[in-house]
Amino acid sequence: MALKRIVSGMRPTGKLHLGHLHGALKNWVDLQNDGAYECFYFVADWHALTSDYAETGEIGDNIIDMVIDWLSVGLDPAKSTLFIQSNIKEHAELFLLLTMITPLSWLERNPTYKEMKEELTSKDLSNFGFLGYPVLQAADIIMYKAYGVPVGVDQVPHIELTREIARRFNFLYREIFPAPEPLLTQVPKLLGIDGRKMSKSYDNSIFMSDTGDVLKQKVAAMFTDPQRQRRKDPGRPELCNVFTLHELYTAPEKTGELAGQCRSAGIGCTDCKKILGTNIQNGMNLIHERQAYYRNHLQEVRDIIADGDIRATAVARKTMDEVRVAMKISYGL
Ligand code: TRP
Ligand code: SF4
């Protein structure tokens, strides 16, 4: 049976944190290993430019750090095509062509656009590229005629827009593009150390590369059940972010025991966190070994990207040939 193609991208934010690991990467690896899918995963570096156009100096390092983390969690270049968006210039061409058929009103009503513009007041986001963000994303996805796009719920409006743009292309020219499905992952809600969403910009992340004292200190600093102020107060594990992590890193029998001890105030938060720190360290051991390996073998990482770029380019060229013919802009001149 033909494999179903999956496409997903991530902006190059540098070292990844546990939110990326449990929210996206584990799912990417599962899809890769499922056997039913052909996976294309790429670094969305042009998307980073739509908001960070003024600070571009770190993007290169961020790309390599991120790809190292991808490889370390088990994304396997023998199974998945791993590439960098900006190395496939066809993304820019398809983006340009799609901008011609995308009504402005579709972009202006995009909830993510409105929210980000209101929230990120520190940056001037009144640029054309930022408004066009979802059109570039649509190009990324339909270029590979993806059947599915694994994303978090926040990205669903973008996939909806991609579907509408694909349908519009098919209607105006010729039926070339399947409308991709969002593949939503059921993920635990992992918060940062301070109880807000885990994000590099909030400085509240536990990174996939954190080990030893750094890791212990971060876990020790984590917010817990706010009602558990004193050691003798009973706690509510279901409201505690530390416990959410126990469910990911601690054996189920032990997790159940800890929940009981938390509720009866039989264990203090300090001890509960110590156990968690040790378990994260152990659970991340293999990932840490691979991170160290790739940091010492950067050329291998570059070669993996170059190979992925070649594979992606082959598909992208073919799609663009079809697109130009369908649009009757292949003039033969
Ligand atoms: N917008 C996505 C995000 O912020 C990144 C992205 C860019 C993407 N292009 C994509 C995701 C194509 C899936 C498919 O997470
Ligand atoms: Fe959270 Fe553990 Fe404290 Fe309970 S004992 S509130 S689960 S840190």
Side-chain angles (χ1 to χ4, degrees):
M1 216 190 70
L3 296 178
K4 290 180 171 175
R5 193 173 283 153
I6 299 284
V7 174
S8 200
M10 211 180 261
R11 278 171 296 162
T13 48
K15 295 188 296 178
L16 300 180
H17 52 58
L18 296 186
H20 294 113
L21 174 61
H22 297 287
L25 290 178
K26 286 230 156 120
N27 185 41
W28 287 16
V29 173
D30 288 345
L31 288 163
Q32 163 193 275
N33 295 336
D34 180 285
Y37 306 106
E38 183 188 17
C39 300
F40 281 62
Y41 297 129
F42 69 94
V43 180
D45 59 322
W46 277 336
H47 277 104
L49 286 182
T50 63
S51 52
D52 297 344
Y53 53 83
E55 302 126 45
T56 53
E58 284 173 13
I59 299 178
D61 286 343
N62 285 349
I63 293 175
I64 207 88
D65 284 345
M66 190 167 84
V67 174
I68 287 175
D69 282 346
W70 286 8
L71 296 168
S72 302
V73 301
L75 286 181
D76 176 356
K79 296 181 183 162
S80 296
T81 298
L82 309 176
F83 65 98
I84 298 178
Q85 182 188 42
S86 66
N87 285 345
I88 320 298
K89 306 301 181 202
E90 284 75 8
H91 286 234
E93 185 184 356
L94 185 53
F95 164 69
L96 174 101
L97 296 176
L98 296 180
T99 64
M100 308 302 167
I101 66 167
T102 306
L104 265 183
S105 58
W106 291 6
L107 301 174
E108 283 162 348
R109 72 170 186 227
N110 169 19
T112 320
Y113 173 72
K114 291 198 253 176
E115 273 165 36
M116 291 260 294
K117 257 192 99 167
E118 274 162 32
E119 272 174 36
L120 276 180
T121 42
S122 58
K123 288 175 188 163
D124 181 358
L125 296 178
S126 55
N127 53 321
F128 178 74
F130 188 69
L131 179 66
Y133 185 111
V135 187
L136 179 57
Q137 183 160 349
D140 298 335
I141 295 167
I142 68 177
M143 180 73 83
Y144 303 95
K145 303 191 178 176
Y147 137 82
V149 189
V151 284
V153 270
D154 60 310
Q155 290 291 309
V156 170
H158 288 167
I159 308 305
E160 264 314 313
L161 243 150
T162 301
R163 293 167 62 83
E164 289 179 63
I165 293 173
R167 278 194 223 106
R168 185 154 165 80
F169 184 100
N170 293 343
F171 165 74
L172 285 170
Y173 308 113
R174 188 148 56 76
E175 189 86 23
I176 291 189
F177 295 118
E181 304 284 339
L183 303 179
L184 281 182
T185 9
Q186 279 313 316
V187 288
K189 191 155 173 54
L190 248 191
L191 301 174
I193 300 173
D194 58 1
R196 294 189 289 172
K197 179 184 154 85
M198 196 181 283
S199 160
K200 200 176 180 186
S201 49
Y202 290 159
D203 204 12
N204 66 357
S205 302
I206 299 178
F207 290 104
M208 279 166 48
S209 51
D210 286 341
T211 60
D213 287 345
V214 173
L215 177 61
K216 273 187 216 149
Q217 279 162 15
K218 285 189 179 180
V219 174
M222 279 177 75
F223 272 41
T224 60
D225 174 3
Q227 276 187 21
R228 193 164 188 210
Q229 300 285 354
R230 276 167 289 261
R231 171 68 181 80
K232 62 177 181 6
D233 296 337
R236 298 165 300 174
E238 66 282 1
L239 296 181
C240 178
N241 194 26
V242 172
F243 192 74
T244 311
L245 279 169
H246 269 300
E247 289 184 305
L248 296 166
Y249 288 95
T250 301
E253 322 83 68
K254 181 72 187 166
T255 312
E257 192 188 312
L258 282 170
Q261 289 174 315
C262 172
R263 283 198 186 92
S264 64
I267 189 172
C269 293
T270 310
D271 289 330
C272 179
K273 287 169 164 179
K274 277 194 186 135
I275 299 170
L276 177 63
T278 308
N279 292 352
I280 295 180
Q281 177 83 51
N282 293 336
M284 294 293 288
N285 204 7
L286 180 61
I287 291 178
H288 292 155
E289 280 173 21
R290 291 186 186 139
Q291 284 170 331
Y293 172 85
Y294 285 113
R295 274 196 214 105
N296 289 317
H297 294 80
L298 287 178
Q299 193 51 45
E300 213 174 296
V301 181
R302 290 187 204 106
D303 290 345
I304 286 168
I305 294 170
D307 181 61
D309 288 347
I310 290 173
R311 278 145 56 187
T313 301
V315 180
R317 290 218 173 125
K318 204 161 153 257
T319 302
M320 289 316 297
D321 285 343
E322 273 181 81
V323 165
R324 288 184 219 104
V325 169
M327 291 180 73
K328 301 196 179 72
I329 53 170
S330 205
Y331 313 116
L333 292 174

